[in-house]
Amino acid sequence: GQSLEQPSEVTAVEGAIVQINCTYQTSGFYGLSWYQQHDGGAPTFLSYNALDGLEETGRFSSFLSRSDSYGYLLLQELQMKDSASYFCAHSPGNTGKLIFGQGTTLQVKP
Amino acid sequence: NAGVTQTPKFQVLKTGQSMTLQCAQDMNHNSMYWYRQDPGMGLRLIYYSASEGTTDKGEVPNGYNVSRLNKREFSLRLESAAPSQTSVYFCASSDISGRGRETQYFGPGTRLLVL
């Protein structure tokens, strides 16, 4: 089967750094994607890791370790607007269809 | 450039009624998808269409049908709605590059309540 596990909630303060983990048990793994969703709105793409290591995009970075079946999203210099749900996802067999984790709700406090 | 649009935004149905959710994209993408999202859950794929003229089942296809009307439009039909289909429905589109990197673009969602 395909499963991606994430913590359900994470809380951090403004200006801090937070890490959201994702562990997966999948077949046909090609890479790990991350999406952000504000208040039930449209999910938006954040990053993708095909290879092991760190990918940096501004304040957001994403990491993948294939040997550990593990990845994380790192958010730096947290802002109130980063309060949202974050989902890891992968496309089994590189078919384009996505399997999502259940999401992590990040609450940023002043 | 509107991206992905969905209609309607909200809908209330009675058990047994039918309805069609509409989705259109103007990004010339080949692939389109329908997901449902239940409270506190991730998105689950209902059906997808890798290209015009093709459709395939996702994780939770029971109770739904789809039509890929043309390259732009992908509709989702509930033939006989059930309370278990109360959910938020998202349509998405993407281009499969073959390089393994997928960026899906999502519509704003349709909130469906089945009584």
Side-chain angles (χ1 to χ4, degrees):
Chain A
Q2 312 278 344
S3 71
L4 300 99
E5 299 291 329
Q6 306 178 232
S8 58
E9 293 182 3
V10 173
T11 302
V13 298
E14 206 172 3
I17 300 173
V18 72
Q19 179 175 311
I20 298 173
N21 298 322
C22 175
T23 57
Y24 59 87
Q25 290 184 321
T26 68
S27 57
F29 181 83
Y30 277 79
L32 196 66
S33 299
W34 288 92
Y35 283 78
Q36 179 190 58
Q37 184 183 37
H38 281 102
D39 294 330
T44 56
F45 173 82
L46 288 177
S47 68
Y48 175 79
N49 292 73
L51 304 174
D52 285 3
L54 195 66
E55 292 276 344
E56 297 183 67
T57 309
R59 293 189 297 113
F60 294 3
S61 303
S62 56
F63 173 83
L64 178 65
S65 169
R66 288 174 173 268
S67 59
D68 295 323
S69 297
Y70 164 73
Y72 64 73
L73 181 69
L74 191 72
L75 296 82
Q76 302 182 73
E77 301 172 16
L78 279 174
Q79 301 175 9
M80 297 299 291
K81 67 179 181 179
D82 297 329
S83 293
S85 293
Y86 293 84
F87 296 89
C88 58
H90 90 106
S91 178
N94 195 26
T95 56
K97 55 181 181 178
L98 285 174
I99 306 296
F100 284 83
Q102 293 199 343
T104 299
T105 300
L106 170 64
Q107 185 179 16
V108 180
K109 295 186 172 180
Chain B
N1 190 340
V4 179
T5 58
Q6 294 183 233
T7 56
K9 287 187 172 58
F10 303 95
Q11 184 71 48
V12 179
L13 291 178
K14 294 181 180 178
T15 297
Q17 287 185 316
S18 62
M19 79 162 293
T20 299
L21 282 67
Q22 306 287 354
C23 174
Q25 52 93 8
D26 62 3
M27 294 174 283
N28 202 36
H29 286 162
N30 287 314
S31 303
M32 297 185 73
Y33 314 84
W34 276 106
Y35 294 89
R36 62 176 287 174
Q37 185 176 31
D38 300 314
M41 301 284 288
L43 293 94
R44 290 183 294 169
L45 183 66
I46 304 171
Y47 270 94
Y48 71 105
S49 171
S51 61
E52 188 178 353
T54 68
T55 60
D56 207 347
K57 295 178 181 178
E59 299 173 83
V60 287
N62 292 343
Y64 305 94
N65 285 301
V66 290
S67 295
R68 183 74 182 267
L69 305 170
N70 48 54
K71 191 171 185 179
R72 290 188 63 248
E73 298 172 288
F74 189 38
S75 63
L76 178 72
R77 183 160 178 84
L78 288 70
E79 292 291 351
S80 178
S84 61
Q85 294 178 303
T86 293
S87 191
V88 181
Y89 291 84
F90 288 99
C91 176
S93 71
S94 72
D95 251 348
I96 298 177
S97 66
R99 294 191 297 270
R101 180 191 176 103
E102 279 300 315
T103 298
Q104 293 196 7
Y105 296 86
F106 285 80
T110 294
R111 281 145 184 82
L112 176 65
L113 173 63
V114 183
L115 301 175

